[in-house]
Amino acid sequence: GYKEYYSNIYSHSGKTDIEETIKYMKPFAEHHRNYFKDLNRQMTPGKFLDVGCSIGSMVKAAEYMGWEAYGVDLSKTYSSYAKNVEGLKHIFYGDIFSAEFEAQYFDHIFTWHVIEHVTDPRKFLLEIKIILKL
């Protein structure tokens, strides 16, 4: 199924080797921090979620910029890297539904190159609406 497939590939880059993914993602670190610099001008840092967090680059940037940051990813390899190598505490291996987040838990939710992989986009967006503070 989906979990098995995404455990072996980072689909956005087409990379199957984690070392390649790490190299691919490194140049984005400053861009990710700048995302939060802009966001922090618009709202006070709170709880952040990256759905499809890969190796945790965005989660790491969020933490660095003062957010309580969470990540969810279907890849066991990448979620394990984010947790064990990057030392990110709130990384969940699985999908947004199996993570079972509380309603209105997050102040900001980020997802990039994910919706095209979701089997039920409507259900996915409804879940985001439920767990996002409005």
Side-chain angles (χ1 to χ4, degrees), residues 102-113:
E102 292 173 37
Q104 297 185 24
Y105 190 71
F106 294 102
D107 299 288
H108 189 75
I109 298 176
F110 178 89
T111 186
W112 185 258
H113 288 283

Side-chain angles (χ1 to χ4, degrees), residues 6-11 13 15-18 21-22 53-56 73 75-83 91:
Y6 287 108
S7 281
N8 299 314
I9 189 167
Y10 179 53
S11 58
S13 65
K15 309 288 184 204
T16 53
D17 176 66
I18 191 158
T21 301
I22 294 162
C53 69
S54 177
I55 59 172
D73 202 275
S75 166
K76 192 172 198 170
T77 304
Y78 295 125
S79 56
S80 172
Y81 179 90
K83 198 176 235 177
I91 301 293

Side-chain angles (χ1 to χ4, degrees), residues 8-63:
N8 299 314
I9 189 167
Y10 179 53
S11 58
H12 172 54
S13 65
K15 309 288 184 204
T16 53
D17 176 66
I18 191 158
E19 297 304 320
E20 285 296 311
T21 301
I22 294 162
K23 265 191 272 183
Y24 174 82
M25 293 302 290
K26 251 191 178 108
F28 294 103
E30 189 179 347
H31 173 73
H32 292 158
R33 283 193 300 273
N34 286 335
Y35 177 91
F36 289 98
K37 277 183 194 165
D38 291 341
L39 185 61
N40 289 359
R41 284 188 204 107
Q42 298 167 48
M43 65 190 301
T44 305
K47 289 184 174 75
F48 167 82
L49 173 64
D50 183 0
V51 183
C53 69
S54 177
I55 59 172
S57 313
M58 201 68 174
V59 178
K60 188 176 179 178
E63 275 192 2

